[in-house]
Amino acid sequence: MVALAPHTSNWDFVVAMPFILALKLKASWLMKKEAFFFPFKGLFMALGGIPTDRSAAGGMAKQVANQFKKNEKMWVALTPEGTRKKATKWKNGFLRIAHAADVPVLLIAWDFPTKRICIDSLYRTTGNFEVDMQEVQRRFSKYRGRNPENQTELVGSE
């Protein structure tokens, strides 16, 4: 499981994809189904995109966790904010997926002021997602996105 933050701009995707391709990783990532329209649908699918219905809550974490259990080698990348806009809280789905699949979370940040992609650390979930979220946010707090005004105040999860 990979958590990518901060996510404040469409440029995050543009910077992340060449990085992923250069490492020759076959990574999957979740994106709202509305973004999968012509002419981008085929490209997004080829790059590992998985369209998701954000109105159908609950079952997504179990579905992705089951995929981890079926695949010996799998990378799934998520942005905990769930949006490029300022969010009041981060989504904890990435923690629930990692815990259910018994895989660690690799924390990766694009620190815009320094123009660096930072592989921060691995985090193993405890099952207490509030504590887990606070620790993950603490680790990400040193990084700044392209649009810092859109960056979430790091205080909890939903």
Side-chain angles (χ1 to χ4, degrees):
M1 182 88 244
V2 179
L4 304 158
H7 183 41
T8 65
S9 163
N10 283 331
W11 284 102
D12 300 346
F13 179 83
V14 174
V15 169
M17 283 316 300
F19 177 75
I20 290 168
L21 294 171
L23 292 175
K24 297 183 179 175
L25 295 174
K26 176 59 177 157
S28 297
W29 40 274
L30 308 179
M31 182 187 275
K32 63 183 176 181
K33 67 179 182 179
E34 293 83 5
F36 287 78
F37 60 88
F38 182 81
F40 302 109
K41 181 178 181 178
L43 174 65
F44 288 165
M45 299 292 282
L47 291 173
I50 301 170
T52 61
D53 182 357
R54 298 189 306 175
S55 65
M60 183 62 63
K62 286 182 183 177
Q63 290 175 41
V64 176
N66 286 335
Q67 288 300 313
F68 269 108
K69 291 176 182 178
K70 292 177 187 175
N71 295 286
E72 185 177 318
K73 294 180 181 180
M74 183 173 163
W75 294 86
V76 175
L78 295 173
T79 56
E81 294 102 325
T83 182
R84 295 168 315 279
K85 299 174 186 159
K86 189 172 186 94
T88 57
K89 295 181 180 179
W90 282 13
K91 308 284 186 188
N92 67 14
F94 73 102
L95 295 170
R96 291 185 291 118
I97 292 167
H99 191 73
D102 193 28
V103 297
V105 180
L106 178 61
L107 307 179
I108 300 179
W110 178 31
D111 190 48
F112 186 78
T114 63
K115 306 294 189 275
R116 292 183 309 147
I117 294 177
C118 305
I119 299 174
D120 185 272
S121 58
L122 279 176
Y123 182 76
R124 179 88 44 193
T125 60
T126 66
N128 181 334
F129 300 132
E130 187 64 35
V131 169
D132 291 337
M133 184 64 76
Q134 288 173 2
E135 177 58 21
V136 168
Q137 288 182 337
R138 183 191 68 74
R139 294 182 189 193
F140 273 122
S141 66
K142 60 187 165 224
Y143 304 109
R144 294 291 163 255
R146 184 174 196 279
N147 298 316
E149 67 278 6
N150 291 348
Q151 207 158 328
T152 304
E153 301 299 322
L154 303 178
V155 293
S157 66
E158 57 176 57

